Amino acid sequence: FGMEEEFFVVDAETKAVMRRMPQSFFDAAKARLGDRVRSELLQSQVELTSSVHTSAASARNEVKAMRGILGEVAADHGLAILASGTHPTAMWATQRASDAPRYDSVMHDLQMLGQRNIVCGMHVHAEFDDLDRRVDIMARLTPYIPLIVALSTSSPFWQARATGLMGYRLAAYDELPRTGLPELFASQREYDDYIALLVEARIIEDSSYIWWAVRPSRRFPTLELRAPDCCTNVDDSLAIAALYRCLVRYLLRHPDVNADLTAVSRAIAQENKWRAQRYGIHGSFVDEARRTTISVADLMQELVVTLQEDAEALDCA
């Protein structure tokens, strides 16, 4: 598995978001972190990409070290790194896009929605052998996405206002096309047909322009989780990554779990995703099977028990 974390670059003294990324900062970061550091859509953002790991402990060590190095480089340039889903006071209207052909194309397509995309998330890639099962696992993961969102919420502020939501990031991000929960494709072939149609119609260049909460990766043999906010605490990041890995392994071992999802199931997952954004870990979800609600805390406790064997097998309990 591997992890990607997006951060805001801010002025070290005022904590105001940087409108223009100093090239000297980015050059110095590249010198120390190599290809593990990348620019993002907006110049106020930067991304760290981990190596490929099989151990949660080694991933934690690398992610913690990379954050530390990026912070040191930032401090040398009068800057700091802020880890959260949204910046509390940043104004989207003043943001500048990064200078890259892909970002130019994206901004041209998205217009104001791209400029408003001043949000930072975390992505987790989970690899498994049978790539033809990625669409199946993606669909069967859908009911768990709200729980992952609730656990990661770190974006209660937007445009210098308290939003009343524990996680506002997805409210802003899901303005973009091809975001939110994935469609319930019945097979890999249906998904491939969908991508082929959009590419042939010249709507998108490839599947990397699909930005769902979870998606098959185009670059890697993985299923990529994209739902979480960037977590302030590195241990939260690793715990969520571990939970996701365990869920993928559990669904691979139990092909009957969530095999009968319907349009109602997806609609309930959508409702629960909203409840996750609104209340975070303090809320409750609709339980389709029990036809009642269950608290996030109780659901998480049940899942810890369910995934115990997987957590032990992956050494991330």
Side-chain angles (χ1 to χ4, degrees), residues 28-303:
K30 291 282 285 186
R32 294 192 62 182
L33 291 164
D35 290 339
R36 292 183 296 172
V37 63
R38 300 176 182 175
S39 61
E40 260 298 321
L41 179 63
L42 300 175
Q43 292 200 26
S44 54
Q45 301 163 309
V46 65
E47 180 183 74
L48 288 178
T49 301
S50 80
S51 307
V52 177
H53 291 274
T54 56
S55 159
S58 68
R60 183 187 185 279
N61 290 339
E62 184 189 32
V63 169
K64 185 176 180 181
M66 287 195 302
R67 284 189 178 204
I69 291 170
L70 192 63
E72 291 172 4
V73 173
D76 290 342
H77 292 77
L79 305 172
I81 303 302
L82 189 148
S84 63
T86 60
H87 187 284
T89 62
M91 297 296 171
W92 64 261
T94 63
Q95 299 307 302
R96 296 174 180 268
S98 296
D99 185 17
R102 177 184 170 93
Y103 296 144
D104 290 344
S105 174
V106 168
M107 290 299 286
H108 176 74
D109 184 35
L110 298 179
Q111 295 294 307
M112 187 174 77
L113 298 186
Q115 193 176 5
R116 280 172 55 85
N117 194 38
I118 182 168
V119 297
C120 287
M122 176 179 74
H123 305 164
V124 184
H125 289 263
E127 180 184 10
F128 48 92
D129 292 338
D130 191 350
L131 294 183
D132 288 338
R133 296 189 65 185
R134 290 192 299 178
V135 170
D136 170 62
I137 301 299
M138 175 179 71
R140 295 195 288 127
L141 265 167
T142 300
Y144 299 109
I145 295 299
L147 178 62
I148 292 172
V149 171
L151 293 171
S152 75
T153 49
S154 64
S155 51
F157 304 109
W158 181 252
Q159 305 280 289
R161 294 183 61 181
T163 65
L165 280 65
M166 295 296 288
Y168 186 80
R169 168 182 158 265
L170 289 178
Y173 189 75
D174 287 354
E175 293 181 332
L176 274 56
R178 304 177 296 281
T179 55
L181 297 178
E183 304 297 332
L184 290 181
F185 293 107
S187 66
Q188 179 73 39
R189 180 175 179 178
E190 282 191 0
Y191 171 78
D192 290 342
D193 286 347
Y194 166 73
I195 298 298
L197 178 57
L198 292 185
V199 171
E200 290 167 18
R202 298 185 180 181
I203 303 300
I204 62 175
E205 292 183 21
D206 53 54
S207 62
S208 68
Y209 291 81
I210 305 297
W211 300 309
W212 295 328
V214 59
R215 69 178 184 183
S217 173
R218 186 182 72 87
R219 296 176 57 211
F220 306 113
T222 63
L223 189 64
E224 179 187 7
L225 175 70
R226 300 171 53 83
D229 283 3
C230 175
C231 297
T232 304
N233 188 311
V234 71
D235 285 338
D236 292 342
S237 298
L238 268 296
I240 289 169
L243 173 63
Y244 175 62
R245 293 179 69 206
C246 290
L247 280 169
V248 170
R249 187 178 188 274
Y250 174 74
L251 293 174
L252 284 165
R253 293 194 305 114
H254 298 279
D256 57 315
V257 174
N258 293 342
D260 56 350
L261 295 180
T262 65
V264 173
S265 304
R266 188 180 186 279
I268 294 300
Q270 189 68 47
E271 177 67 25
N272 288 339
K273 176 172 166 288
W274 152 247
R275 295 183 63 78
Q277 293 171 231
R278 171 63 181 86
Y279 300 106
I281 60 171
H282 307 291
S284 61
F285 292 155
V286 178
D287 187 314
E288 183 181 4
R290 296 169 177 152
R291 303 188 72 83
T292 184
T293 58
I294 182 172
S295 72
V296 170
D298 287 345
L299 177 61
M300 187 66 238
Q301 188 57 48
E302 288 183 3
L303 200 56

